[in-house]
Amino acid sequence: MDSITFGRVTVTLPTLDEPGLYLSNVASLDSARGIFQDFQYGDTDLRDLDLSDTSLITGRVRGLRADRVQLDKVRLDSVEFDTCDLATARIADSKLSRVVFRNCKIMGASLTGVALDNVLFENCKLDYASFEQVRATGPVAFSKCVLTEASFTGCDLTGAVLDACTLRLAEFGRGKYQGLDLRGNDLTSLRGVAHLAKVVIDRAQQSELAEALIAELDVTFGDTLNQRR
């Protein structure tokens, strides 16, 4: 199986080009059986992509553009999304295993009650995305992603990694972040710094976390008091 390593985290990737594996082109992801396997889908524009109680197993979705995406109680196993526009996607009560989102726009997305196991977001736009009750049950990595004003609430990101990401005004609420690897990111504008107990950073990032905490506390420096009169 193919894999990629970020620091201490190794993510196992879907193996879609191995000898003997044939991916059949499909015209839709709707199925009366609720399961798609060994498929290839994409290069299409949709108004709605609405899947519920569906399993997508071993497949590639490329060049898909959808105005509205709703995935509820969906299982994704060994699936790659490449250059897709899934803006404002809603993914709830689902499980993703060996899944890659590469060069995708997922701005304003909402992930609620989602379990992630060997999942990679690479070079994706996740601005304003909301992660609520999301659990890293296996390796999870965000690499070169834009997470401007994204929020994490009640999440368990134990052992996950954010690598070379844009985290401007990203907010971390209460959750479990032990071992979350934040090395290689600018942390100066993070919100919710007080919740990031036991994360992994470089020594040079201490001042960045301090700057973020000072901004969040809205402190007043004594030497500026006279200037405000």
Side-chain angles (χ1 to χ4, degrees):
M1 293 183 180
D2 294 334
S3 64
I4 185 170
T5 298
F6 302 93
R8 302 181 302 170
V9 176
T10 297
V11 180
T12 301
L13 306 176
T15 305
L16 303 177
D17 298 310
E18 63 182 3
L21 177 62
Y22 177 74
L23 301 180
S24 300
N25 290 314
V26 297
S28 170
L29 294 178
D30 293 323
S31 169
R33 297 187 303 116
I35 185 170
F36 267 100
Q37 189 163 3
D38 299 343
F39 67 93
Q40 188 161 276
Y41 176 72
D43 294 321
T44 187
D45 293 341
L46 296 178
R47 176 173 295 179
D48 295 295
L49 176 62
D50 195 341
L51 301 177
S52 180
D53 293 303
T54 300
S55 295
L56 304 181
I57 303 173
T58 313
R60 179 180 285 120
V61 181
R62 177 176 289 162
L64 170 65
R65 295 167 295 277
D67 294 333
R68 175 183 171 275
V69 178
Q70 180 76 45
L71 305 181
D72 184 45
K73 298 179 182 177
V74 168
R75 175 191 171 199
L76 304 180
D77 193 334
S78 298
V79 178
E80 176 185 278
F81 293 84
D82 190 356
T83 321
C84 294
D85 189 343
L86 308 175
T88 68
R90 299 291 180 265
I91 306 175
D93 301 322
S94 299
K95 182 175 182 179
L96 283 58
S97 301
R98 283 192 295 158
V99 174
V100 173
F101 294 91
R102 182 175 288 117
N103 304 316
C104 292
K105 294 181 180 179
I106 323 177
M107 300 170 66
S110 173
L111 283 75
T112 304
V114 177
L116 306 177
D117 178 13
N118 284 288
V119 174
L120 170 64
F121 295 88
E122 183 178 47
N123 196 33
C124 291
K125 293 185 178 297
L126 287 153
D127 310 66
Y128 315 110
S130 171
F131 299 82
E132 186 172 350
Q133 303 295 328
V134 171
R135 307 180 312 282
T137 59
V140 174
F142 296 81
S143 178
K144 300 178 182 177
C145 292
V146 180
L147 288 147
T148 299
E149 294 192 45
S151 64
F152 298 86
T153 305
C155 295
D156 184 349
L157 297 182
T158 301
V161 60
L162 283 82
D163 173 68
C165 293
T166 299
L167 299 174
R168 182 176 176 274
L169 299 180
E171 183 169 1
F172 291 84
R174 293 184 181 275
K176 297 180 180 179
Y177 305 108
Q178 183 172 352
L180 173 63
D181 194 336
L182 296 174
R183 291 176 292 179
N185 304 283
D186 184 347
L187 309 180
T188 54
S189 63
L190 284 187
R191 294 173 172 174
V193 175
H195 295 134
L196 294 177
K198 300 183 179 180
V199 297
V200 178
I201 64 171
D202 288 321
R203 291 190 181 277
Q205 291 175 296
Q206 294 180 78
S207 60
E208 296 178 1
L209 278 184
E211 183 175 339
L213 182 59
I214 289 170
E216 191 167 84
L217 295 176
D218 194 24
V219 302
T220 298
F221 292 100
D223 58 4
T224 66
L225 291 175
N226 292 334
Q227 300 174 16
R228 295 188 177 186
R229 291 179 179 176

